[in-house]
Amino acid sequence: MKIVIVGPGAIGLLFAGLFSRSKEDIWILDKDAQRAARLNKNGIKIEGLTSLNIQDPKVTSDPKEVSDSDFWFICVKSYDTKNVIKDISDHVSPNAFVVSLQNGAGNVELLSEKLGSRKVLACVTNMGATLLKEGLVRHAGEGDTIIGRLDGAIGVELKDLRELFLRSKAPIKVSKDVKGVLWSKLVLNVGINALSAVTRLNNGKLIQFEGARQILKDAITEAVKVAKRKRIKLIYDDALAKAESLCEATENNISSMLQDVLNKKKTEIDFLNGAIVRQGDSLGVKTPVNAFLVDLVKTIESSYAYQVA
């Protein structure tokens, strides 16, 4: 089985490392040819909860080189999904499957629209990973990983993926309601990511300060109201309790949005809290805390050049 990880970020490299334990043919597709060459030369290292040193990774910037892959794991930021579709759509073989391993709302739907819903799977993970530098990732937190199809079908491809994860010593669950899983992850991210980016606190510290904990609670409460109005069944009875337990389980993790802010990069705020605000507006559900967090994060990411050091 040939697997390609699209995007050498924290989660992409973590799963490339984990999958390397399966002894399958694992590749990484990087849009940056020079970085791909450096990764090939210098290798990939995972530290923290998992310790791996991959001396000879297979990294390419040419999608034609991995056109015979069985599974394409999309691990790029949500705002790059459209570009990835343009890059790979002509190279995904008829029998291959594309797996969205991304944060935010709308990625699975966008991939399905462009590549066909039969080919697209969703993968949701609560593992924590921090990109310390190019090719070096800290596995900072354990969490559930769940896979499924939007139509709820359990096909051979999901069984193959389950075996891949098990051989990689990575816990995995298969769900018939992956839409509920996606929204459950979105609700957790809405509470954690933007707040961590604004406060510059790692996950564990967010629940140690009463003010931050209250904002986390309010943002999640709004997101849950939107999900209920959409008649989406969340997999957690108490989303706030789950978010707090996730913060504890990944206490040393630096959220992906905080990593973006620290590196002065564009964030996924439009696809997380922004998605809750847009959905709330269309459904008549007020989301003032999420709207405020969107405004704060957008101000931060648009003012990097002017911030006091």
Side-chain angles (χ1 to χ4, degrees):
M1 187 157 51
K2 186 169 182 176
I3 312 295
V4 56
I5 305 291
V6 182
I11 284 294
L13 291 183
L14 174 62
F15 275 88
L18 295 176
F19 290 160
S20 71
R21 301 191 293 203
S22 70
K23 307 303 181 185
E24 299 290 351
D25 190 13
I26 310 300
W27 286 72
I28 297 169
L29 179 62
D30 186 353
K31 64 181 180 181
D32 185 331
Q34 293 182 340
R35 182 172 56 194
R38 291 194 299 269
L39 289 173
N40 276 318
K41 179 182 178 180
N42 301 324
I44 296 167
K45 187 175 181 180
I46 315 291
E47 63 178 37
L49 296 176
T50 299
S51 181
L52 289 167
N53 195 354
I54 305 170
Q55 298 285 0
D56 298 303
K58 298 175 181 176
V59 188
T60 182
S61 60
D62 184 0
K64 286 187 285 187
E65 196 168 358
V66 289
S67 60
D68 57 342
S69 295
D70 299 291
F71 291 97
W72 298 66
F73 278 81
I74 311 302
C75 300
V76 302
K77 298 291 187 181
S78 294
Y79 51 74
D80 275 335
T81 301
K82 289 183 179 180
N83 290 330
V84 164
I85 291 171
K86 292 178 183 177
D87 291 341
I88 73 171
S89 58
D90 291 337
H91 306 287
V92 178
S93 69
N95 295 322
F97 292 90
V98 176
V99 185
S100 172
L101 180 48
Q102 300 168 275
N103 284 331
N107 292 301
V108 176
E109 291 82 358
L110 186 58
L111 289 163
S112 297
E113 177 186 339
K114 300 298 183 180
L115 300 173
S117 59
R118 185 197 69 82
K119 299 178 71 65
V120 179
L121 310 173
C123 184
V124 181
T125 188
N126 287 317
M127 284 194 183
T130 304
L131 187 65
L132 300 179
K133 64 178 184 179
E134 187 176 283
L136 175 61
V137 173
R138 181 173 67 231
H139 184 185
E142 288 288 2
D144 299 333
T145 299
I146 305 173
I147 55 175
R149 299 178 59 97
L150 286 185
D151 61 11
I154 306 294
V156 174
E157 70 279 0
L158 287 174
K159 296 177 182 178
D160 289 342
L161 281 178
R162 183 176 182 275
E163 288 300 315
L164 169 68
F165 274 81
L166 292 177
R167 289 198 304 274
S168 303
K169 301 177 184 178
I172 186 68
K173 297 177 183 178
V174 176
S175 173
K176 292 184 178 180
D177 181 21
V178 76
K179 189 171 185 177
V181 174
L182 286 167
W183 263 84
S184 298
K185 174 68 182 298
L186 175 62
V187 166
L188 299 184
N189 280 341
V190 158
I192 295 171
N193 279 29
L195 185 57
S196 69
V198 171
T199 62
R200 300 202 173 196
L201 294 173
N202 61 19
N203 290 4
K205 290 291 190 293
L206 289 176
I207 56 175
Q208 293 181 18
F209 297 92
E210 187 55 38
R213 187 180 180 278
Q214 185 61 50
I215 296 171
L216 184 147
K217 176 182 178 181
D218 292 343
I220 286 178
T221 298
E222 291 176 1
V224 169
K225 288 180 180 178
V226 172
K228 286 183 176 179
R229 185 65 63 89
K230 290 177 67 67
R231 298 183 179 179
I232 293 172
K233 181 175 175 55
L234 302 178
I235 63 175
Y236 315 120
D237 292 330
D238 188 335
L240 177 61
K242 178 61 180 180
E244 291 180 339
S245 67
L246 179 60
C247 285
E248 292 173 351
T250 60
E251 62 178 345
N252 295 318
N253 188 55
I254 300 172
S255 79
S256 59
M257 194 173 293
L258 177 52
Q259 291 181 56
D260 289 335
V261 167
L262 293 175
N263 292 314
K264 300 187 184 304
K265 292 183 177 180
K266 185 177 180 180
T267 74
E268 294 181 290
I269 191 68
D270 282 331
F271 300 88
L272 296 173
N273 304 72
I276 296 300
V277 174
R278 291 192 300 275
Q279 295 276 357
D281 287 345
S282 68
L283 296 168
V285 178
K286 294 182 179 180
T287 57
V289 174
N290 280 282
F292 185 57
L293 287 169
V294 170
D295 287 341
L296 280 175
V297 173
K298 281 186 168 292
T299 299
I300 290 170
E301 71 174 29
S302 62
S303 64
Y304 290 139
Y306 308 100
Q307 293 168 13
V308 178

